[in-house]
Amino acid sequence: MKPFRVVSFPTAELLEAVGPLPDGLRAGVWDIQGEPEGIELGEIDVAILPYMASVASLAGIRRASNLQLVQTQTTGFDGVHDLVGPNVSVSTAAGVHAAGTAELALGLVLASLRGIGESVRDQAERRWNPRRWPGLADRKVAIVGVGGIGEEIRKRLVPFDVELSRFGTRARTDDHGEIFAIDDLLHRAGDIEVLILIVPHNAGTHHLINAQILAALPDGAVVVNVARGPVVDTDALVAELETGRIRCASDVFDPEPLPAEHPIWQLPNALVIPHNGGNSGAFLPRMVKLLKRQVAAWGNGEPGENLVDAPASGAEGLKDS
């Protein structure tokens, strides 16, 4: 890897927030789609990608002929390796979004189990409609994915008096107890009242939550997806939701954006959030802190933190499991 000399930032605001760069490192602004400002396209060594940009909108990055590394502002890096090719390294914003995504996961669980969505609709109709909702206390909760964000979710569930189980890529134990293998999920699904998904999306987790697993969940179960939409078979989910037997509260969908005519919009037992997981007020300060550390490393010719290998067989990476 050659020494880094020029970094592009997606916005002038982010460049200003990161502040002075190390000696020998220059920066300009490039949103990938247009032309760079303050630097030449052919001299960019490191490109910081816009937040939550689609892979299709980033196709122009191939014009940067000297590119050595791209930095995402997301934990996920779906499709980025394929976009930039094998000779360009990829670093993620792992850790930046952990708190925001974890608190949204917990919020979705509580909102669904306490009927908040129904109460909002009742409010719009000025309808006083008290009901007894399941609540979170004493529920059997499973977290599928035990990486950084999964751990943040676990910590936030501790005060809620739940019976918690966790699933990872392989069976093992850690400081917090037993972790079951994801392969055991179907066998244990009948005992899961709240299913929280925070696994990577890859060839092994595509449609991990399928018709068989959904059918095995007990009546009244809630599926909470803060991973990626394709981890769940959307058609199978809609079919199960339409029976009224289970509920879902999801931050991610397949496809995204969710089309206006999609049936899930109309289902009263579905809570739809438009991929807001890590997009909270905590995001920018944490992203700036990471980038300050990254530019210090880049100024020394080092790749910095969160460098990820190209996924095998076209698999897409997201949130460790």
Side-chain angles (χ1 to χ4, degrees), residues 186 189 195 209-218 221 223 232-238 240 245-246:
L186 177 60
L195 179 63
I209 307 305
N210 54 25
Q212 192 176 13
I213 286 180
L214 291 169
L217 294 172
V223 178
V232 175
D233 182 337
T234 303
D235 291 342
L237 177 64
V238 169
E240 196 69 48
R245 198 183 67 80
I246 67 170

Side-chain angles (χ1 to χ4, degrees), residues 13-282:
E13 292 76 13
L14 187 59
L15 173 56
E16 182 179 359
V18 172
L21 301 183
D23 291 341
L25 197 64
R26 295 188 294 114
V29 176
W30 187 35
D31 66 1
I32 312 301
Q33 298 187 59
E35 298 300 319
E37 301 175 11
I39 51 177
E40 296 296 325
L41 191 60
E43 62 180 356
I44 297 172
D45 300 302
V46 180
I48 302 169
L49 301 182
Y51 179 55
M52 291 296 290
S54 67
V55 172
S57 71
L58 299 175
I61 201 165
R62 300 189 185 100
R63 296 183 291 146
S65 57
N66 197 50
L67 194 65
Q68 298 183 64
L69 184 146
V70 294
Q71 169 73 58
T72 74
Q73 294 191 69
T74 55
T75 306
F77 53 101
D78 306 45
V80 176
H81 276 291
D82 290 338
L83 178 71
V84 299
N87 297 321
V88 178
S89 301
V90 177
S91 289
T92 74
V96 168
H97 301 279
T101 303
E103 71 184 20
L104 180 62
L106 190 59
L108 290 172
V109 170
L110 290 167
S112 186
L113 290 173
R114 296 308 301 259
I116 303 300
E118 282 82 351
S119 293
V120 170
R121 288 190 287 271
D122 286 338
Q123 180 179 348
E125 300 293 330
R126 303 182 185 182
R127 181 171 53 241
W128 187 260
N129 185 24
R131 293 172 58 182
R132 177 172 291 173
W133 291 93
L136 181 53
D138 303 330
R139 297 278 76 77
K140 295 176 180 178
V141 180
I143 303 173
V144 183
V146 291
I149 301 176
E151 169 59 13
E152 292 300 314
I153 295 172
R154 184 203 65 79
K155 290 194 295 187
R156 284 158 175 78
L157 283 168
V158 168
F160 284 89
D161 295 329
V162 302
E163 186 178 327
L164 184 63
S165 59
R166 296 175 297 151
F167 292 80
T169 51
R170 56 184 175 81
R172 59 194 187 273
T173 58
D174 64 8
D175 292 342
H176 307 294
E178 186 173 11
I179 298 171
F180 300 109
I182 286 177
D183 290 345
D184 290 337
L185 190 57
L186 177 60
H187 172 68
R188 298 180 180 275
D191 207 32
I192 296 173
E193 296 173 294
V194 179
L195 179 63
I196 303 174
L197 306 171
I198 187 62
V199 289
H201 175 228
N202 54 42
T205 61
H206 184 79
H207 288 185
L208 171 68
I209 307 305
N210 54 25
Q212 192 176 13
I213 286 180
L214 291 169
L217 294 172
D219 291 353
V222 180
V223 178
V224 175
N225 190 1
V226 287
R228 282 292 190 265
V231 169
V232 175
D233 182 337
T234 303
D235 291 342
L237 177 64
V238 169
E240 196 69 48
L241 290 171
E242 286 177 337
T243 70
R245 198 183 67 80
I246 67 170
R247 302 169 64 82
C248 85
S250 186
D251 182 49
V252 290
F253 296 88
D254 181 22
E256 285 187 15
L258 199 59
E261 67 277 8
H262 200 282
I264 206 166
W265 286 111
Q266 303 300 321
L267 295 173
N269 48 345
L271 182 57
V272 175
I273 304 296
H275 207 147
N276 281 343
N279 195 12
S280 73

